[in-house]
């Protein structure tokens, strides 16, 4: 039996249907090609944007990349609220500002800030929210000085002009005093000889002579980087002072009350 499509009469009858199908297929193919072209351009734009963001935020020269996820930020907000008692949107707002400071200071300064995005932004947002009793700030171990500069900016936003004291050997590993002072200037601290200059005590915190040099005041904020005797740290804290230590720090001495943990740091209040 001959095929229906080989019959001339059948071809004549079905020709309009074939033409309609061809037209619809051509329109569909044209639309699909247009969608594919648009997708190609969108992917190319995303690649360009991703490359530019990578140059700004990837981990080159840092402890890690500076591209948090929405989940990480939401977790950080919950942790900051739990430690500070913030019941509104202040924590989220301050974390956002802290992140901008982190990116800006690492872009402008020499070196980087130690720690993950969550830990750095957590420290910068949590300390002001805990309302330190005064503006005297002690950082034990500073690396490049950029965290102290960022904290000074965050405290200033809260109406507190920080008086910085830094304890660090600054023996060139990883950085030098001149480099630290240059970075501190990004936070508003001026150079040597000025009333608002950051005070740098070169040496180890375990050295009694160093502690004597910085023991002329009681600090509203003490940030402890590294493994140090927290009993000696407590002696320098003002009543109600905020003490920030790493999560792997040893047991807290009498006079330091734990407030909770945010990211990789533990927050305490001095009695």
């Amino acid at each position: 039996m001959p095929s229906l499509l080989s019959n001339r009469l059948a071809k004549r009858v079905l020709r309009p249907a074939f033409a309609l199908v061809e037209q619809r297929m051509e329109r569909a193919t044209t639309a699909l090609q247009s969608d594919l072209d648009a997708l190609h351009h969108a992917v190319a734009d995303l690649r360009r944007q991703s490359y530019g963001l990578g140059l700004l935020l990837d981990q080159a020269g840092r402890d890690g990349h500076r591209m948090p996820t929405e989940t990480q930020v939401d977790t950080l907000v919950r942790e900051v609220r739990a430690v500070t008692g913030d019941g509104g949107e202040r924590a989220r707002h301050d974390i956002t500002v802290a992140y901008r400071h982190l990116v800006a200071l690492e872009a402008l300064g020499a070196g980087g800030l130690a720690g993950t995005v969550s830990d750095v932004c957590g420290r910068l947002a949590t300390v002001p929210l805990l309302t330190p009793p005064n503006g005297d700030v002690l950082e034990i171990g500073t690396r490049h000085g950029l965290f102290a500069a960022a904290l000074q900016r965050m405290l200033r936003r809260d109406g507190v002009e920080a008086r910085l004291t830094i304890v660090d050997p600054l023996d060139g590993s990883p950085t030098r005093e001149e480099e630290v002072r240059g970075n501190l200037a990004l936070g508003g601290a001026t150079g040597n000889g000025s009333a608002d200059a950051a005070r740098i005590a070169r040496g180890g915190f375990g050295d009694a002579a160093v502690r004597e040099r910085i023991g002329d005041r009681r600090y509203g904020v003490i940030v402890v980087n590294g493994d140090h005797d927290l009993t000696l740290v407590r002696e320098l804290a003002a009543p109600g002072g905020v003490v920030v230590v790493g999560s792997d720090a040893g047991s807290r001495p009498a006079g330091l009350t734990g407030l909770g943990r945010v990211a990789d740091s533990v927050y305490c209040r001095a009695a």
Side-chain angles (χ1 to χ4, degrees), residues 8 13 17 30 35 40 53 85 119 126 128 133 138 150 157 164 173 183 202 223 227:
R8 286 185 296 175
V13 172
T30 301
D35 290 342
H40 173 77
L53 286 174
D119 194 47
T126 302
L138 171 62
R157 292 181 67 258
L164 298 174
S173 178
N183 286 335
R202 296 184 63 165
V223 179
D227 185 15

Side-chain angles (χ1 to χ4, degrees), residues 214-227:
I214 65 173
D216 59 340
R217 63 188 70 168
R218 291 297 174 262
Y219 298 91
V221 178
I222 302 179
V223 179
V224 183
N225 298 309
D227 185 15

Side-chain angles (χ1 to χ4, degrees), residues 46-210:
L46 285 174
R47 285 176 175 170
R48 284 192 292 270
Q49 294 172 23
S50 176
Y51 180 73
L53 286 174
L55 292 176
L56 182 64
L57 302 175
D58 70 13
Q59 63 184 17
R62 303 183 176 108
D63 284 355
H65 68 78
R66 301 312 192 198
M67 291 180 276
T69 65
E70 182 178 359
T71 300
Q72 288 173 324
V73 172
D74 288 343
T75 298
L76 187 59
V77 169
R78 288 194 299 270
E79 292 176 348
V80 171
R81 284 175 175 169
V83 169
T84 64
D86 173 63
E89 287 300 310
R90 171 86 184 270
R92 185 177 297 277
H93 175 268
D94 284 9
I95 287 168
T96 301
V97 173
Y99 175 70
R100 292 170 181 168
H101 283 325
L102 166 61
V103 173
L105 289 174
E106 285 192 322
L108 295 173
L113 282 80
T116 63
V117 171
S118 293
D119 194 47
V120 173
C121 292
R123 290 186 176 201
L124 293 176
T126 302
V127 169
L129 281 170
L130 289 175
T131 316
N134 63 48
D136 289 313
V137 177
L138 171 62
E139 185 181 32
I140 302 173
T142 194
R143 197 177 185 185
H144 299 287
L146 285 172
F147 177 81
L151 183 58
Q152 187 175 28
R153 283 182 169 273
M154 292 297 293
L155 287 169
R156 184 178 296 122
R157 292 181 67 258
D158 220 39
V160 177
E161 284 298 329
R163 292 199 305 166
L164 298 174
T165 297
I166 291 172
V167 174
D168 196 291
L170 293 180
D171 54 6
S173 178
T175 189
R176 299 169 293 105
E177 181 173 341
E178 294 80 5
E179 187 175 309
V180 170
R181 288 200 178 276
N183 286 335
L184 291 175
L186 298 173
T190 57
N192 283 312
S194 173
D196 59 347
R199 183 173 65 168
I200 297 178
R202 296 184 63 165
F205 182 72
D207 187 336
V210 171

Side-chain angles (χ1 to χ4, degrees), residues 30-46 48:
T30 301
L32 179 60
Q33 186 61 52
S34 177
D35 290 342
L36 288 173
D37 290 342
L39 181 60
H40 173 77
H41 290 306
V43 169
D45 287 341
L46 285 174
R48 284 192 292 270

